[in-house]
Amino acid sequence: MASSVRRNTYVVGGMMPAPILPVSKVEMETSRTVRQNLMRLKVNRIALVQELKVENILPILREKGVLTSADKNKIVQGSTNQDKARILIDILPTKKKETDWYRHFRDALLGPNGGTEVKKRYHLLVEFLDNTFIQRPASTKVKISGVDNNVDSLAFPKYELLPEISDSSKIVAIDDDKSSTQNSESEKSRRNKSPDVLVLNSYSQSDGEENGGTEREINDNTSEIGSKVSGSANIDKNNKEAMTLVKGHLHQWVPNPENFTSKIIMPEELLSKLEKSSSFEDKEQLNYEKKILAKLQNVEMITVLKKQDKLPAGFELCMCEAMVEILGEPQFYYSYVKYSKSVESLTRDLIESYSTVLKTINSSQNKEATDQTIIHGFQLCDFFLELSFFHEAEKVISLLADFLTVDSNIDTWMARYKAYVKLTEVRNRNYNFQGAEQAYFWSVQMTWPIQLMSFGKDLIEEGGLLVQMSHYLLEQGSLTSGYGWAKRALQEFSPNNHVGIVNALCNGVMAFCSKLQIKKAGEMSIQAVIQAKSYFGKSHPLYLKALLHMCHFTSEFIQEDVTLQIAEMTLDVALGMYGCPCLQVAYAHRAVSKALMVLHKFDSDDYYNHSMEAVRIVRGIFPTQHPILYAFLHTFASALQWKALNGPKEVHDSTLHWAEVEAKQALIISKSCYGDISLRTAQIYSLLGQIYSKMTRLDEAEVNLKQCVIDMKLCQSPTSHYYLLSLATLGTFYKILHRHQEAVILLKEAVSNVETYGVYQRWIHVCYEHLAACYKSINDLESYHQTQQQLQIWLENNPNETGMIKIGVLDSLTQPYHQFLETFDLWGTKMKKVKHQLTDVITNADLNNSKI
């Protein structure tokens, strides 16, 4: 039978018999043709995505009425040729059969807009499409054969059917290439080990990208295709054993695990809430959650089959279709966070499987498989990152980087560069800053050979690397350098890279806040939220990330009700998206707690409850000494300090002691992560000093506040607002102790060097008032009046205005990113244009010289 299948022919078999319904022969033939066309797109998806340029066929499909103008606009929004082709292939199966979309698509490929080379390549694509046949189920061969005999003409030639699974002596493998005969001995050996398994296909035809639309269309339109490890199905009436179709590099029917019961279940609270609800949105959400759960249970079942040695030789868990379906939809990764505890048990198997794939692949001999494996590695890394599995994400991307280093060639240089950039991001998020610095240098080294190639400079988009370096520098306390990298990163992203743009804007908020560029930081926080909402919607991790950065800005500089409104909205979004205790929800709880403390809303314990909930969640996810706990412990200790001041007197001392314990734990973490002399460590010394002052342990309070000033002076510039704030805090402490001479020195330096760029800051106002009071206490009336005059001038230049951030502005329509940059950073935009003009001049000069 294998010899009767033509080269470049893919046979997709194993289809379960559909229920026999009273339909006409014409309807049956039409329905089968539709399913065949759908499967042609699915099977040949990789080739179509890689080879197709939509510009060559879009006008034809528009003219034939297959695509609408809205379809065209959606397609051209793709950032690369592959993205555009992928969107087109996802749209086509959604068209009604009256459009005859497949015939027009095939005709467009036969007559594309392009030269001879384009037509040659597209004719090859048509050959692949035409040579893809759908194997009919054995249980319906008589019925279908009868129909076929009455049809005047058949679109496809018939081939001999596969033997029944129950007859192990007739089991065969269908290969699509004559070269497969070289492996016949290994195939025989494998069949002898698995006599009850039928090999359906020796190649995976998924491109590993976002193919959710095509998958759903196929599943909705055919009940004959076997389950993708979603359950059991009877092969025929005589075979009572439950079987499962496992799809990957090898597609096989295998027996289900004995006594298998999935350990992955939907959270009871979520399930009960959705089932009891009568709203349409909740019913849709329930169906969506069930699909997500089924996909994860598929992977779980395959893992069990692997442990029971029921999978075929060469089958890899990370490349199976069940896992590819999950990884192919990155916009839905957040939906799996609620199952992170269950997924955690699968991570080791997935990493080992991916390592095995990398060891067996040869990029020089199989470029297509190599490209797919590289894409798969990036997807698996992003999946782990969304689930806060930082160590696992680093293992995956490190394996990929090592593979690309060992098997380095010009085709893999860009992938290697991107792997190093991703490694920098992973280590930054895991607070492994020393490792992030090393990965950054590896990324820079990879840019050198790439830029030496023709048009190499155009291939590299440095924005992602600049964002990561800026983040690293800001965390290390190098605020000026981090601010500079952040400004440059804003100019380096293409208008279609919306993910990079939102990340750059969020990082820019942190950088501009650190330099007290308050108005600019506010504009960026608004733009980040609007961009994320416009391009990704409100149920997307990037939208939540943008909101969290806006919360940071408002809690630092906006003491208005909108600060709390935005924080509560952020928490609602986080709970709605994740619906479980996770890192993202913890950050949202922390944001609400900070907002309540900034506004001094101490009439209830909400500020304390939110900060405690945030710490509880994070401690349940990460080890007790993980650096990510630092920020949560700092907020929690601050909340405990306020609780002691506003709570019952009988718990005053014990609450402050609790705050001391949490702050000291944060100090230990800070020293281990950032070092003994660093911005973060100094901030904890300041917090400890304030706690001790409220405990009337004044000597210890002074020691810690002075240590904060010393460390700030060593690691920050003289004009850093963090350093000046530490001076103001110690100066205020001395004023309270009536040590006015010492207070004057510190407060005067603080108000003399601070720059707020026209925005009112409460702590600076208080510094002026305390300085004036100290002068008056020591009878220096001349300095007292001068300070009062300086305060009036400062208030005129920095008026206490409200309404910088309004909740309604977040629903504004987005403007093109390049237009935002032109108004936001006019100088940077002009310099970028000049740079491009100079590059063009130099390039043209080089071309002219070469001609001469």
Side-chain angles (χ1 to χ4, degrees), residues 358-537:
L358 292 176
K359 290 176 182 177
T360 57
I361 203 166
N362 188 324
S363 63
S364 61
Q365 296 180 0
N366 194 337
K367 185 178 183 303
E368 182 178 321
T370 301
D371 292 342
Q372 179 58 39
T373 304
I374 291 171
I375 293 172
H376 206 73
F378 284 111
Q379 292 175 335
L380 189 59
C381 176
D382 288 335
F383 181 68
F384 285 156
L385 279 178
E386 185 61 31
L387 271 62
S388 301
F389 295 162
F390 298 129
H391 289 294
E392 289 78 5
E394 182 173 350
K395 287 180 182 178
V396 170
I397 205 65
S398 296
L399 286 171
L400 178 57
D402 291 342
F403 163 73
L404 296 172
T405 301
V406 173
D407 198 15
S408 181
N409 57 71
I410 195 170
D411 293 330
T412 59
W413 282 355
M414 276 302 301
R416 187 176 166 190
Y417 167 75
K418 292 178 180 179
Y420 286 143
V421 174
K422 178 61 70 174
L423 183 60
T424 308
E425 176 191 351
V426 171
R427 289 176 172 174
N428 269 335
R429 293 182 63 175
N430 199 30
Y431 290 77
N432 178 9
F433 297 118
Q434 186 176 358
E437 183 180 13
Q438 181 62 65
Y440 166 76
F441 285 118
W442 289 337
S443 304
V444 173
Q445 288 177 348
M446 276 309 303
T447 62
W448 300 338
I450 296 174
Q451 290 178 343
L452 290 175
M453 297 190 304
S454 299
F455 307 106
K457 292 183 178 180
D458 297 331
L459 295 176
I460 297 178
E461 189 174 74
E462 294 185 308
L465 184 59
L466 296 177
V467 167
Q468 294 307 317
M469 192 56 187
S470 172
H471 175 82
Y472 163 80
L473 291 169
L474 292 173
E475 285 290 330
Q476 294 297 311
S478 301
L479 305 183
T480 301
S481 299
Y483 170 75
W485 287 111
K487 284 189 67 177
R488 184 180 166 192
L490 293 171
Q491 299 285 348
E492 294 298 324
F493 286 101
S494 64
N496 293 326
N497 188 350
H498 304 300
V499 173
I501 288 171
V502 174
N503 284 326
L505 288 170
C506 290
N507 181 74
V509 172
M510 304 299 291
F512 280 69
C513 284
S514 70
K515 298 294 289 183
L516 282 188
Q517 296 271 357
I518 300 172
K519 289 185 177 180
K520 293 287 188 181
E523 292 177 22
M524 294 182 72
S525 66
I526 294 172
Q527 189 66 20
V529 173
I530 294 175
Q531 291 273 347
K533 179 177 69 71
S534 175
Y535 292 107
F536 303 105

Side-chain angles (χ1 to χ4, degrees), residues 209-382:
E209 291 291 330
E210 298 179 15
N211 56 356
T214 305
E215 286 287 343
R216 286 190 293 271
E217 196 69 28
I218 293 170
N219 292 337
D220 291 342
N221 284 282
T222 175
S223 60
E224 298 179 354
I225 300 176
S227 157
K228 299 174 190 149
V229 200
S230 60
S232 61
N234 293 327
I235 304 306
D236 58 41
K237 293 181 180 180
N238 298 321
N239 188 358
K240 303 299 183 181
E241 183 179 17
M243 306 287 283
T244 293
L245 175 60
V246 179
K247 293 185 178 182
H249 282 304
L250 298 168
H251 290 200
Q252 299 199 359
W253 286 101
V254 297
N256 285 341
E258 297 179 1
N259 301 321
F260 172 77
T261 302
S262 176
K263 297 180 181 179
I264 305 176
I265 59 175
M266 192 182 304
E268 292 185 6
E269 183 179 353
L270 175 63
L271 180 61
S272 176
K273 172 188 172 184
L274 295 178
E275 285 183 337
K276 292 179 180 179
S277 175
S278 59
S279 70
F280 174 78
E281 291 78 9
D282 285 343
K283 291 185 182 297
E284 288 290 309
Q285 178 71 11
L286 179 61
N287 292 331
Y288 167 75
E289 291 291 345
K290 288 181 178 179
K291 291 179 181 179
I292 291 294
L293 179 61
K295 291 179 181 180
L296 204 53
Q297 289 174 337
N298 291 346
V299 179
E300 181 191 25
M301 178 181 284
I302 295 176
T303 306
V304 174
L305 290 170
K306 177 177 173 57
K307 291 179 179 178
Q308 295 180 358
D309 293 327
K310 291 185 178 181
L311 293 179
F315 183 91
E316 291 301 338
L317 174 64
C318 73
M319 302 298 288
C320 71
E321 186 163 343
M323 198 66 210
V324 168
E325 281 190 359
I326 292 176
L327 297 180
E329 297 179 328
Q331 70 273 27
F332 298 131
Y333 287 171
Y334 72 89
S335 302
Y336 298 92
V337 173
K338 63 177 69 69
Y339 305 111
S340 58
K341 293 295 183 183
S342 302
V343 175
E344 191 172 9
S345 62
L346 305 176
T347 55
R348 181 177 178 180
D349 294 324
L350 288 169
I351 294 172
E352 289 180 353
S353 175
Y354 189 65
S355 177
T356 302
V357 171
L358 292 176
K359 290 176 182 177
T360 57
I361 203 166
N362 188 324
S363 63
S364 61
Q365 296 180 0
N366 194 337
K367 185 178 183 303
E368 182 178 321
T370 301
D371 292 342
Q372 179 58 39
T373 304
I374 291 171
I375 293 172
H376 206 73
F378 284 111
Q379 292 175 335
L380 189 59
C381 176
D382 288 335

Side-chain angles (χ1 to χ4, degrees), residues 123-154:
H123 278 227
L124 186 61
L125 292 177
V126 173
E127 180 182 344
F128 274 101
L129 290 170
D130 290 348
N131 289 337
T132 302
F133 297 97
I134 314 301
Q135 187 68 41
R136 300 189 188 97
S139 59
T140 59
K141 60 184 179 181
V142 176
K143 182 72 176 179
I144 294 177
S145 178
V147 174
D148 289 343
N149 291 334
N150 293 325
V151 178
D152 295 333
S153 62
L154 292 174

Side-chain angles (χ1 to χ4, degrees), residues 705-720:
L705 291 174
K706 289 176 71 174
Q707 188 63 50
C708 172
V709 173
I710 292 171
D711 288 357
M712 286 290 188
K713 192 170 185 178
L714 290 173
C715 67
Q716 293 294 297
S717 69
T719 58
S720 167

Side-chain angles (χ1 to χ4, degrees), residues 156-167:
F156 314 107
K158 292 192 289 184
Y159 289 89
E160 185 178 355
L161 296 175
L162 292 172
E164 298 290 342
I165 271 186
S166 58
D167 188 356

